[in-house]
Every structure is written in C-alpha cells, then in structure tokens.
Amino acid sequence: MSDTSPILLWFRRDLRLSDHPALYGAAQTGRPVIPVFLRDAQVDRLAAAPKFRLGLGLEHFAASLEAVGSRLVLRSGASALETLEAIIAETGATSVFWTRQYDPDAVARDTEIKTALKAQGIEAKSFGGHLMFEPWTVETKTGGFYKVYTPFWRSVKDRDVDAPLEAPKSIVAPDEWPASDDLAAWKMDAAMKRGADVVRPFVRLGEQAAQARLADFLEGKVEAYNTTRDLPAVDGTSCLSENLALGEISPHQCWHAGMRPLHEGKTDAEVFLKELVWREFAYHLMHHTPRILDRNWREEWEGFDWNEDEQRAEVIAWKQGRTGIPFVDAAMREMYVTGRMHNRGRMIVASYLSKHLLCHWQIGQKWFEECLIDWDPASNAMGWQWSAGSGPDATPYFRVFNPLTQLDKFDKNRYYASRWIAEGYSTPHADALAYFDAIPAQWNMSASDSYPAPIVDAAEGRKRALDAYASKPF
C-alpha cells in the first residue's frame, strides 16, 4: 500500500468535522483524503422530509469542507459498491473509511462492501461515532441483551464515554479531485413540494448550529428540564434530535457537555443524559431485534386486529390535524410547519392513533418518516411501539392517554394549541396560518373552516380500546 495513496472517506449520517473517528483516523495518516457522499438506493428510498433535510445538510457540510481546503464529492448510483469501485479506479485510492450505521439494510450493504473491497486488496474500515456504546458491547449479567430501559441505563451510566476528538487541523487534498455530481440536480427537496419553503426557516443546519443549540440548552434550560420538557408551549428542550439524526453533532459531545452541569449540581442534567441513553437503547434493540422496525416487537400482539386501512376517514383526519382533539391536531400541525414535533405531542398523537382509533402503529411510523426532519429509524420505531403497547419497555396497553386532560395538564393556558390551530381564532398565530401553506393543496383546507367536532370522543375511544384489549392474552 502506497503511503501517498488517497483514502476515500464515505460520509453518511455523520456530517461533521469534530469528534469524527473515521475522519480523524484518515487525517492522522497524512495521506490525501477524498470525502464522498453516495446517493445509492437507500438514500433514494428516504421519505420526503428526511431526504429534504439531508439535502440541506449536504449543502452545508460541503461548504464546511471547502472552508478547510477540502471538498465533498457527490456520486449517484443504485449500487454503493459499484460507485465506490468506480471512484477507486479513478483516484487510485487504496482505503475506504466510514462511520458505522446499524439498521439492517445498512448493515447488509456495508458488510457486502467490506467483503468485496478486501477481496480486491482495498482496505475497508468502519468506525464508531454514531453511538456512545456499540450495541454488542452492552450485555446483561447472563450475556443477553437488555429489553427494559432502566436496567440498560444502570448498566451504562457509569461507563467511560470516549472523549470527543478535535477536528483535524488539516485534511490533505488529492493532487486531482474526481468529478462530482451537482447536488441541485438531485432535487432532494422535490417530494416536499410547497412545504419545503415553510419548513426551511425552522431548520438549524450544521455543526456550529448544533453546538450553539447544545450550549444554549446547557447554559440555562437544563436547570428546569425535568419539568419544562413536558410543556410543549415552552422552549425547554435541546431540539438536538434534528442534528443528531444526521450526525451534525455526536452523542459523545452531548454526553460530556451534559456531565458538566450535573457535576455543578444541576440535577436535571441527568434527565438529559437519560434521553441520550434512551436513543442508545433504541439502537441496542434495533441491533438485537431488527423486527422492531417492521413487526410487533411483542409477538403476542401479532394476532391483534389493528385497522390497517390508511384511507379510512379517521386516519385521514388524524393526518390532516382535523381530529377535533386540540392536542393531537396542534402537534400534527407543528410537524407540518417545523418538520419536528414536541415529544409530549408525539406521545399523545401516537397513543390517539393506536389506541383511540385502534390503527396499526405502522401507519403512524410511516407517516412520521414522511414528515419529520429529525427522523431516525430506531427512535421512530421504538417510539411508536412504546406508545402502542406492542414494543419493549412499552407503556402498558391499558394506559390510554386522555388527550383532553393531557392538554389541561401540560398546556393549561392553551398557548401551544392556539399557536398551531387557526380555526375559530379571529387573529390566528402566524405559525397556525403557515400550516395551510405547508399541507398538500388537494386537502382543500383554509383557516376560515370551522374547527371539527371530535371524530372519536376521548372517553369513548378509551373504552373502545380497553374493550378490544380485554380478550387478548397480553
């Protein structure tokens, strides 16, 4: 292997320069580094909002690389292996580095690529960085995997988490850069249609924005996090899920930054750390039981008679934020305008769909994947199964959130509901009006419409759910 041969650094969901083990390792060799991003079949399968957000992230990250004398080479092709082989042939690269992903499709792809490249004499090396703890390194005392969050947390909370790596001081460029696709030609925002312009102002792009978010949260909001994180009208959360999803910040950076206020006596910082470990738990489960992505994790739920008709009137009303239940509708509309949804809102809308409406959680999982810019395969799947009762460490099937009393508890003054619902208000909030600019035109809705009566009464829906559960062996 030539000491001057280039290294292809294959970026995926790791769009940052600091605390990037693969980039750090490549830069440490002193060899030329060629950053590449491949639009393969898995990228093409991304739903509207995640693909839109990825396109913005790539544009921003390309500029970050250029600022340090490098660049991002874009290539497209259904087969990532064939595309990499083509770039290797063009550049004489003898190594390919990347950050590990953990969903089954990515694991299968990466395993095939590593095997094929090594057979050709190409160094193929994967690195950590997307998680604090590799899923196979966390085991119960009997050698199995954790199925309940609290023991998982206890197992890892005192582990050493690798200190974040500095961004490389320099990245050696190749003598000649390979050709690159034009990002604009990929039209990553196409499926968002008119919603792209509405969501775009709410996006916080890139590594610097993510670090600023973290600093802002830890400098003040973390002190009351255990309370304010449940109040959707209050800016009380870190909002880092958007940046973590694309690796614009690493969980290691968040963990070590969160430990500082905890050591200073700000006890709510531990709740933030627990949320980071909840994300780790989702990946732990996806690694050990990949069925969590597309089947009921609890096998006894396989016989449950879910409604699976996405064209059912109740499902359409839920998607449109027209259920007549203000907490549900406000949360759905927040998602269309911002690309994100408050976590308390996610629990309420998921419980309402899967329990009050008795609809299959996969309908909601698929819809969130379509609409969330912070979409994450593991967290999305676990969140929906947790809410439905079919997942690991789930909310008990008989616990049915009452969306009316939840609104009284967490939005007593209706600041959240009135920010996102326009119907019935003489001077609606600008964000409530933006909803009508974001949604599909064929929905034919306007702020002058009357707000609907509940499609399913809260008490009636709870009784219907409990009756359906009564005959099942849960």
Coordinates of all heavy atoms in Angstrom, one line a residue, residues 50 58-59 102 148 184 193 210 213 223 244 286 288 347 358 361 365 377 395 399 402 411 450:
P50 N -37.0 13.6 5.6 CA -35.6 13.2 5.8 C -34.7 13.5 4.6 O -33.6 13.9 4.7 CB -35.7 11.7 6.1 CG -37.1 11.5 6.6 CD -37.9 12.5 5.8
L58 N -26.2 18.2 3.4 CA -25.0 18.0 2.5 C -24.5 19.3 1.9 O -23.3 19.5 1.8 CB -25.5 17.1 1.3 CG -25.7 15.6 1.7 CD1 -26.3 14.9 0.6 CD2 -24.4 15.0 2.2
E59 N -25.4 20.2 1.6 CA -25.0 21.5 1.0 C -24.2 22.3 2.1 O -23.1 22.8 1.7 CB -26.2 22.3 0.6 CG -25.9 23.7 0.0 CD -27.2 24.5 -0.3 OE1 -28.2 24.2 0.3 OE2 -27.1 25.3 -1.2
Y102 N -26.5 1.1 11.7 CA -26.9 0.0 12.4 C -28.3 -0.6 12.0 O -28.7 -1.7 12.5 CB -27.0 0.3 13.9 CG -25.7 0.8 14.4 CD1 -25.4 2.2 14.4 CD2 -24.7 -0.1 14.9 CE1 -24.1 2.6 14.8 CE2 -23.5 0.4 15.4 CZ -23.2 1.7 15.3 OH -22.0 2.2 15.8
V148 N -35.4 -3.9 28.7 CA -36.0 -2.8 29.5 C -35.1 -1.7 29.7 O -33.9 -1.9 30.0 CB -36.5 -3.4 30.9 CG1 -37.1 -2.3 31.7 CG2 -37.5 -4.6 30.7
A184 N -27.8 20.1 -6.7 CA -29.1 20.7 -7.1 C -29.9 19.7 -8.0 O -31.1 19.6 -8.0 CB -28.9 22.1 -7.7
K193 N -42.4 19.4 -2.0 CA -43.3 20.3 -2.7 C -43.3 21.7 -2.0 O -42.3 22.2 -1.6 CB -44.7 19.7 -2.9 CG -44.6 18.4 -3.7 CD -45.9 17.8 -4.0 CE -45.8 16.5 -4.8 NZ -47.1 15.8 -5.0
A210 N -25.6 23.2 15.7 CA -25.8 22.1 16.7 C -25.1 22.4 18.0 O -25.7 22.3 19.1 CB -25.4 20.8 16.2
R213 N -26.9 25.2 19.8 CA -28.1 24.7 20.4 C -27.7 24.0 21.8 O -28.4 24.2 22.8 CB -28.7 23.6 19.5 CG -29.9 24.1 18.8 CD -30.5 23.0 17.9 NE -31.8 23.4 17.4 CZ -32.4 22.9 16.3 NH1 -31.8 21.8 15.7 NH2 -33.6 23.3 15.9
E223 N -31.6 23.5 33.7 CA -31.8 23.6 35.1 C -33.3 23.2 35.5 O -33.5 22.7 36.6 CB -31.6 25.0 35.6 CG -30.1 25.4 35.6 CD -29.8 26.7 36.3 OE1 -30.2 26.8 37.5 OE2 -29.2 27.6 35.6
L244 N -28.6 15.4 15.7 CA -28.1 14.0 16.0 C -28.5 13.0 14.8 O -27.7 12.1 14.5 CB -28.7 13.5 17.3 CG -28.0 14.0 18.5 CD1 -28.9 13.8 19.8 CD2 -26.6 13.4 18.8
M286 N -32.7 -2.3 18.1 CA -32.7 -2.5 16.6 C -31.6 -3.5 16.2 O -31.8 -4.3 15.3 CB -32.5 -1.1 15.9 CG -32.6 -1.3 14.4 SD -32.6 0.3 13.5 CE -30.9 0.9 13.8
H288 N -30.3 -5.9 18.1 CA -30.5 -7.3 18.6 C -31.9 -7.9 18.1 O -32.0 -9.1 17.9 CB -30.5 -7.3 20.1 CG -29.1 -7.1 20.7 ND1 -28.2 -8.1 20.7 CD2 -28.5 -6.1 21.3 CE1 -27.1 -7.7 21.2 NE2 -27.3 -6.5 21.6
M347 N -46.1 11.5 21.9 CA -46.8 10.5 22.7 C -48.3 10.6 22.6 O -49.0 9.5 22.5 CB -46.4 10.6 24.2 CG -44.9 10.2 24.5 SD -44.5 10.1 26.2 CE -44.3 11.9 26.6
L358 N -57.5 2.7 17.3 CA -57.1 1.3 17.1 C -56.5 1.1 15.7 O -56.7 0.0 15.1 CB -58.4 0.4 17.2 CG -58.9 0.3 18.7 CD1 -60.2 -0.5 18.7 CD2 -57.9 -0.3 19.6
W361 N -49.8 0.8 14.5 CA -48.8 1.8 14.7 C -47.9 2.0 13.5 O -47.3 3.1 13.3 CB -47.9 1.3 15.9 CG -47.3 -0.1 15.7 CD1 -47.8 -1.2 16.2 CD2 -46.1 -0.4 15.1 NE1 -47.0 -2.3 15.9 CE2 -45.9 -1.8 15.2 CE3 -45.1 0.3 14.4 CZ2 -44.9 -2.5 14.6 CZ3 -44.0 -0.4 13.8 CH2 -43.9 -1.7 13.9
Q365 N -45.9 5.3 12.1 CA -44.5 5.2 11.9 C -44.1 5.7 10.5 O -43.2 6.5 10.3 CB -44.0 3.7 12.1 CG -42.5 3.5 11.8 CD -42.2 2.0 11.6 OE1 -43.1 1.3 11.1 NE2 -41.0 1.6 12.0
P377 N -34.4 5.9 12.2 CA -35.1 4.7 12.1 C -35.4 4.0 13.4 O -36.5 3.4 13.7 CB -34.2 3.8 11.2 CG -32.9 4.5 11.2 CD -33.2 5.9 11.5
T395 N -45.3 1.5 27.3 CA -46.4 1.9 28.1 C -47.4 0.8 28.2 O -47.7 0.2 27.1 CB -47.0 3.3 27.6 OG1 -48.1 3.6 28.5 CG2 -47.5 3.1 26.2
R399 N -52.9 1.6 29.5 CA -52.7 3.0 29.8 C -53.0 3.8 28.5 O -52.2 3.8 27.6 CB -51.3 3.3 30.3 CG -51.1 4.8 30.6 CD -49.7 5.2 31.0 NE -49.3 4.5 32.1 CZ -48.0 4.3 32.5 NH1 -47.0 4.7 31.7 NH2 -47.7 3.6 33.6
N402 N -55.4 10.3 28.0 CA -56.6 11.1 27.7 C -56.0 12.5 27.1 O -55.4 13.3 27.8 CB -57.4 11.4 28.9 CG -58.7 12.2 28.6 OD1 -58.6 13.1 27.9 ND2 -59.7 11.8 29.3
D411 N -50.7 22.1 28.9 CA -50.9 23.4 28.1 C -52.2 24.1 28.7 O -53.1 24.4 28.0 CB -51.1 23.0 26.6 CG -51.1 24.3 25.7 OD1 -50.4 25.2 26.1 OD2 -51.9 24.3 24.8
S450 N -64.5 25.8 9.8 CA -64.9 25.5 11.2 C -64.0 24.4 11.8 O -63.7 23.5 11.1 CB -66.4 25.1 11.3 OG -67.2 26.2 10.8

